[in-house]
Amino acid sequence: DAMVIQNPRYQVTQFGKPVTLSCSQTLNHNVMYWYQQKSSQAPKLLFHYYDKDFNNEADTPDNFQSRRPNTSFCFLDIRSPGLGDAAMYLCATSRGDRDNEKLFFGSGTQLSVL
Amino acid sequence: AQSVTQPDIHITVSEGASLELRCNYSYGATPYLFWYVQSPGQGLQLLLKYFSGDTLVQGIKGFEAEFKRSQSSFNLRKPSVHWSDAAEYFCAVGGMDSSYKLIFGSGTRLLVRP
């Protein structure tokens, strides 16, 4: 009964070739997040949506974009992937009750850049 | 600045032994504290959280953590480790002024000896 679903599980792309990662949720949560996690490092927040309001982290490269067409779906677009963008990308959701209610994570998409 | 420090990169314990994973935080306001566990190639699962009240919190899988404000710590403990507990453990901090964001520590990898 997966509640936060990420597709694909593994993604291979070429250097400079645009790639899109997808995330869907069945929880009807207000907030959706994208985290980048490189090997043996902490997850790093890239951006989040509260409903349709987009919030970018100050140090997120312009190469990373996001779209949230509706409550259930959120996409991460990498316009020109570099070798340094190879990582696990984690999608998460929360109700957004301003009490930092529990985050629900998907299983992640492992991105390789050749 | 807000930060989370997990001083132990790796910890190895024998099955059945007790476990303590350390976490120290720096946060300007009242912190909300979390412990997440990540199995290889998977997303993060919440073990427990502290918002307020009793400083000793119980979580899933027999884990507990104690919030010590004077030491800025939130250490995770388990009295008897099982082989299935081998995973990466992340401490995280958030708060009411953080716009729903969590800051993660760099993680501690737990290895369990038979």
Side-chain angles (χ1 to χ4, degrees), chain A residues 9 33 35 37 40-43 45 48 50 57 88 90 96 98-103 105-107, chain B residues 32 34 36 38 41-44 46 49 51 90 94-102 104-106:
Chain A
R9 187 76 178 84
Y33 309 78
Y35 282 85
Q37 185 181 23
S40 302
Q41 295 184 22
L45 183 64
H48 74 276
Y50 189 99
E57 293 301 297
M88 172 76 87
L90 296 166
R98 200 129 184 101
D99 62 354
N100 266 310
E101 183 73 14
K102 173 179 175 178
L103 263 66
F105 282 86
S107 297
Chain B
Y32 298 152
F34 306 80
Y36 281 84
Q38 185 179 34
Q42 298 295 317
L44 280 73
L46 180 68
K49 60 185 179 183
F51 283 179
F90 292 94
M96 291 189 66
D97 62 340
S98 67
S99 301
Y100 329 107
K101 298 187 297 186
L102 294 186
F104 285 87
S106 55

Side-chain angles (χ1 to χ4, degrees), chain A residues 70-91:
Chain A
N70 53 53
T71 299
S72 300
F73 286 87
C74 194
F75 300 98
L76 170 62
D77 301 308
I78 309 177
R79 291 192 297 189
S80 181
L83 298 179
D85 297 327
M88 172 76 87
Y89 290 88
L90 296 166
C91 175

Side-chain angles (χ1 to χ4, degrees), chain B residues 34-111:
Chain B
F34 306 80
W35 274 100
Y36 281 84
V37 61
Q38 185 179 34
S39 296
Q42 298 295 317
L44 280 73
Q45 181 185 20
L46 180 68
L47 286 176
L48 46 79
K49 60 185 179 183
Y50 170 79
F51 283 179
S52 64
D54 192 348
T55 56
L56 183 64
V57 294
Q58 303 296 321
I60 62 172
K61 304 184 181 186
F63 286 92
E64 66 178 26
E66 186 172 12
F67 170 56
K68 293 185 178 180
R69 185 184 297 274
S70 61
Q71 298 177 18
S72 297
S73 69
F74 189 57
N75 293 348
L76 181 71
R77 300 194 294 250
K78 187 170 184 178
S80 178
V81 169
H82 188 263
W83 63 267
S84 60
D85 294 325
E88 187 98 23
Y89 291 80
F90 292 94
C91 182
V93 65
M96 291 189 66
D97 62 340
S98 67
S99 301
Y100 329 107
K101 298 187 297 186
L102 294 186
I103 299 168
F104 285 87
S106 55
T108 298
R109 181 169 296 280
L110 173 65
L111 304 174

Side-chain angles (χ1 to χ4, degrees), chain A residues 6-108:
Chain A
Q6 291 189 243
N7 286 305
R9 187 76 178 84
Y10 300 94
Q11 176 73 56
V12 180
T13 190
Q14 293 178 336
F15 184 93
K17 183 175 181 180
V19 65
T20 295
L21 310 182
S22 73
C23 177
S24 63
Q25 56 139 335
T26 60
L27 299 163
N28 204 35
H29 279 172
N30 293 319
V31 192
M32 295 188 77
Y33 309 78
W34 279 105
Y35 282 85
Q36 179 194 61
Q37 185 181 23
K38 296 188 177 180
S39 181
S40 302
Q41 295 184 22
K44 177 180 178 299
L45 183 64
L46 294 174
F47 25 59
H48 74 276
Y49 275 94
Y50 189 99
D51 288 336
K52 295 183 179 180
D53 293 334
F54 177 70
N55 298 272
N56 199 35
E57 293 301 297
D59 56 354
T60 298
D62 293 340
N63 197 27
F64 290 84
Q65 304 286 321
S66 185
R67 296 170 284 135
R68 189 178 185 186
N70 53 53
T71 299
S72 300
F73 286 87
C74 194
F75 300 98
L76 170 62
D77 301 308
I78 309 177
R79 291 192 297 189
S80 181
L83 298 179
D85 297 327
M88 172 76 87
Y89 290 88
L90 296 166
C91 175
T93 72
S94 74
R95 293 190 317 200
D97 286 348
R98 200 129 184 101
D99 62 354
N100 266 310
E101 183 73 14
K102 173 179 175 178
L103 263 66
F104 291 78
F105 282 86
S107 297

